[in-house]
Amino acid sequence: EFGKKLLATAYTIRAVCYYTLMRNYCEPYDKSNATKMLGVPIVKEFDMEGKPERSDLKETADFIVEDLKQAISLNQTDEHYRFYVDVSKAYLARVYFWMQEWALAASMAKEVLDKYPLISGEAYKEMIQSEVKQLGNVLIRSGISKSEGYVYTDMQKTKGRPLSLEFVCACVGVVWCVWVGVCVCAWVG
C-alpha cells in the first residue's frame, strides 16, 4: 500500500514536470501538426551517459497522459501525499485541454468539479488568502504565503530524512523515484 502511494505520487509529479516543460519550451499544441513539432526529450529510465533526442510534441503529450492515467489507476487517495488521485485527474483535464481533446477535457474536468464545486464570494476570498491551511476545495496548495509555507515548516520539524533512500527504494522494488528522467536514488545516493 505504501509503495502504491509513492508510485502514484511519482507518476503524477513526473507528468506535471513534463507538462510544465512542454508548456514552457514547446510551441502551442496543434493536433494536425503535433507529430512534426518538437517536444521534449523523454527519459523513462536513468542513464548517466544518455543523451536523449527531443521527441515530437504528440509523443511528449502522450507520455504525460500515460503517466497521469497510471497514477489515476493506482487510486492514491491519501491527501497527505498532496499529489493524490483528484490532483492527477485535474492535471489530466488540463493536458487534454492543451491537446485540444475537448470532449476528454470536459469529461475529466466535470468529474473533478463535481467533487470540488466552484465557490465564490467570501468563501473564495478566505480560501485564497489562507496562508498555509487548505480551506474550501483547494486541491493542492503551493505554500506561497507571507510566512514560511508548507515546505519550510515541514523541514523545520525534520532533522534529516525520515527514511533512508535505500529503504524507500527497496520497499517499492522498482525505480519509482524518477522526476523528469533523473533517478533520485542514483542522484542523491
Side-chain angles (χ1 to χ4, degrees):
E1 187 63 30
F2 177 68
K4 270 180 53 176
K5 290 177 182 180
L6 295 177
L7 191 58
T9 301
Y11 276 125
T12 302
I13 290 171
R14 183 169 72 175
V16 169
C17 289
Y18 270 98
Y19 174 63
T20 302
L21 287 170
M22 182 177 71
R23 277 189 15 251
N24 290 334
Y25 298 106
C26 298
E27 294 180 54
Y29 197 88
D30 177 4
K31 282 174 79 167
S32 60
N33 291 320
T35 58
K36 299 173 190 149
M37 301 167 77
L38 286 176
V40 296
I42 295 175
V43 178
K44 295 180 181 179
E45 294 182 22
F46 178 76
D47 179 4
M48 184 70 83
E49 303 298 321
K51 294 181 181 177
E53 299 287 322
R54 284 183 77 171
S55 63
D56 66 51
L57 198 52
K58 180 162 180 20
E59 288 174 325
T60 302
D62 289 345
F63 180 71
I64 296 165
V65 167
E66 188 57 38
D67 268 2
L68 289 169
K69 284 182 175 180
Q70 279 283 80
I72 291 167
S73 74
L74 293 168
N75 197 32
Q76 197 288 97
T77 56
D78 186 347
E79 294 181 18
H80 183 283
Y81 287 82
R82 296 202 178 102
F83 287 95
Y84 54 101
V85 70
D86 295 331
V87 174
S88 301
K89 288 177 180 180
Y91 270 104
L92 185 55
R94 291 182 69 166
V95 173
Y96 281 147
F97 185 81
W98 178 264
M99 294 173 64
Q100 301 165 7
E101 296 289 348
W102 312 123
L104 294 171
S107 169
M108 192 57 60
K110 182 177 180 350
E111 189 175 332
V112 174
L113 287 172
D114 285 347
K115 192 168 181 181
Y116 301 91
L118 297 177
I119 60 174
S120 60
E122 287 301 313
Y124 177 79
K125 183 179 174 184
E126 182 182 349
M127 179 182 75
I128 292 300
Q129 291 179 348
S130 170
E131 288 191 19
V132 177
K133 188 177 177 187
Q134 263 183 257
L135 298 175
N137 56 8
V138 172
L139 283 174
I140 187 166
R141 187 111 177 126
S142 66
I144 297 170
S145 67
K146 291 180 226 164
S147 62
E148 312 306 339
Y150 285 128
V151 175
Y152 182 81
T153 55
D154 286 349
M155 293 304 288
Q156 291 301 309
K157 296 175 193 169
T158 309
K159 298 294 180 205
R161 272 193 209 111
L163 298 171
S164 75
L165 206 48
E166 293 80 21
F167 174 77
V168 172
C169 289
C171 286
V172 176
V174 294
V175 180
W176 61 267
C177 46
V178 177
W179 187 334
V180 189
V182 178
C183 175
V184 176
C185 293
W187 178 55
V188 174

